[in-house]
Amino acid sequence: MSGPDKPKVIGEEWSDERVRSFLAIEPAEAGINPDFHVLQKAYRAMRAEDFERFIAFFLDAGRDLNAVGESGETILDHISAHRRSTAYAEALKAAGAKTKEQAGS
């Protein structure tokens, strides 16, 4: 069985169907922004190239790339704090993601 609940496996090829399956993830708790939640789950589970493909599906579904989490940060803010996440941050920037400061200005 594969899907969003499986751990990240280095080098494994992900089908478009599997990447898209993350769009259906719902937050377990009320009050959590579902768009931020889905982006965070995808970031944690996917390789950078799969995450970049996910972003395209996410945007095609009309979702908000600049949604904020509970602490008021965008997914770009969250990912940029991790030193090994440059490829993920670049994919987000290329798709139009903003930091909370950029979104607020």
Side-chain angles (χ1 to χ4, degrees):
M1 181 172 156
S2 66
D5 295 330
K6 290 291 182 182
K8 182 177 1 181
V9 177
I10 305 303
E12 179 184 4
E13 292 296 322
W14 282 39
S15 68
D16 284 350
E17 180 181 329
R18 184 171 179 194
V19 172
R20 278 190 195 101
S21 71
F22 276 73
L23 293 171
I25 296 174
E26 296 285 334
E29 300 174 30
I32 295 176
N33 184 300
D35 289 340
F36 181 87
H37 180 75
V38 165
L39 286 165
Q40 187 176 46
K41 290 290 188 180
Y43 163 64
R44 289 179 178 171
M46 296 179 189
R47 299 174 304 164
E49 52 270 13
D50 297 319
F51 184 71
E52 185 172 8
R53 289 176 32 227
F54 174 75
I55 291 169
F57 298 138
F58 182 86
L59 292 173
D60 285 346
R63 308 285 292 262
D64 182 7
L65 197 58
N66 295 307
V68 295
E70 292 181 275
S71 64
E73 66 184 2
T74 66
I75 195 66
L76 182 56
D77 291 318
H78 176 73
I79 289 174
S80 295
H82 304 146
R83 61 186 171 96
R84 292 187 179 176
S85 66
T86 305
Y88 296 87
E90 290 304 318
L92 284 165
K93 290 175 189 175
K98 299 179 176 171
T99 63
K100 64 182 173 185
E101 286 80 25
Q102 292 169 328
S105 56

